[in-house]
Amino acid sequence: MWRRRRFQSVVALMAVLLLAAQAAPAAGLFASSGDGKPEGPTEVLADRLVNHASEKYAQFTGAVKATQGNFSITTDELRVYYEGELFTPQGGSPETQITRIVAIGRVHVDSEQYSADADRLEYTPATDILVLTGDSAKVTSGQSFISGAKITLNRRDGKAVAEGGPAARVKALLHPEDKSKEPEKEKGK
């Protein structure tokens, strides 16, 4: 009985994560592709999943990899905070919304626009803001990068703010675009 209920809770959690990823704009696990719509279903792989129903979060641990479209997070631990109920005995569809995602330990993010590394990541779907923290938080795009103790990325407007800390100052390495190739492209049109 206990195992069956636990299995049902795990199945319900995965269904809720997939449904929530397709619900309202910016409500997906990793939010939008820029047009306010999620990039599809979310897959989370981990060694263990524990649903903390009374605290309203699901905790994935052990070599966690969460992927949605072209966006992925790998980390030691991933906590998905939610509102609503994950399991309804009547079989109705629960009204569940993901409110916050926290990745802890060896966080690595990959997307089409950038990659990032940090000790901790907090993501708020309602605002589409990622906050990376740690002694060596770093966001890389092409050959350019910014690093600092805290980096805030607003995925809606592309704004990034880096802050230094006691262990390190903000560092940026910016590579200018190669302007000589653009006219050649235009001439060929």
Side-chain angles (χ1 to χ4, degrees):
M1 176 82 173
W2 177 79
R3 283 187 176 192
R4 182 177 176 172
R5 195 175 239 331
R6 183 174 175 193
F7 176 75
Q8 289 173 335
S9 293
V10 170
V11 170
L13 172 65
M14 293 311 294
V16 166
L17 289 174
L18 292 174
L19 290 172
Q22 297 172 355
L29 186 57
F30 305 122
S32 66
S33 58
D35 60 0
K37 296 179 182 174
E39 295 179 355
T42 301
E43 178 180 61
V44 181
L45 300 172
D47 293 336
R48 185 172 188 204
L49 163 64
V50 177
N51 180 31
H52 300 271
S54 60
E55 291 92 9
K56 301 285 189 186
Y57 75 92
Q59 178 181 24
F60 296 87
T61 55
V64 181
K65 182 169 185 177
T67 305
Q68 183 184 61
N70 293 324
F71 190 90
S72 70
I73 294 176
T74 55
T75 184
D76 295 331
E77 178 182 339
L78 185 72
R79 292 182 180 191
V80 179
Y81 293 84
Y82 58 88
E83 291 178 353
E85 297 298 322
L86 287 178
F87 181 72
T88 55
Q90 298 82 13
S93 63
E95 301 245 348
T96 302
Q97 182 177 4
I98 295 170
T99 58
R100 184 169 60 120
I101 295 167
V102 178
I104 304 163
R106 297 184 298 173
V107 178
H108 180 76
V109 176
D110 269 321
S111 76
E112 289 180 344
Q113 298 86 14
Y114 59 87
S115 65
D117 293 290
D119 296 330
R120 181 181 175 96
L121 171 142
E122 288 197 33
Y123 173 63
T124 307
T127 59
D128 210 3
I129 293 177
L130 286 169
V131 178
L132 303 148
T133 56
D135 290 336
S136 58
K138 184 177 185 179
V139 177
T140 304
S141 180
Q143 295 179 341
S144 300
F145 72 84
I146 57 173
S147 65
K150 180 180 178 183
I151 301 171
T152 304
L153 299 173
N154 185 324
R155 294 187 57 199
R156 286 190 184 154
D157 66 12
K159 183 179 178 182
V161 177
E163 301 173 36
R169 298 178 68 194
V170 171
K171 182 177 181 180
L173 179 61
L174 308 172
H175 283 266
E177 293 179 11
D178 185 6
K179 300 287 184 185
S180 63
K181 291 185 181 179
E182 288 180 22
E184 290 175 348
K185 288 181 184 177
E186 289 177 17
K187 288 179 186 176
K189 285 186 178 181

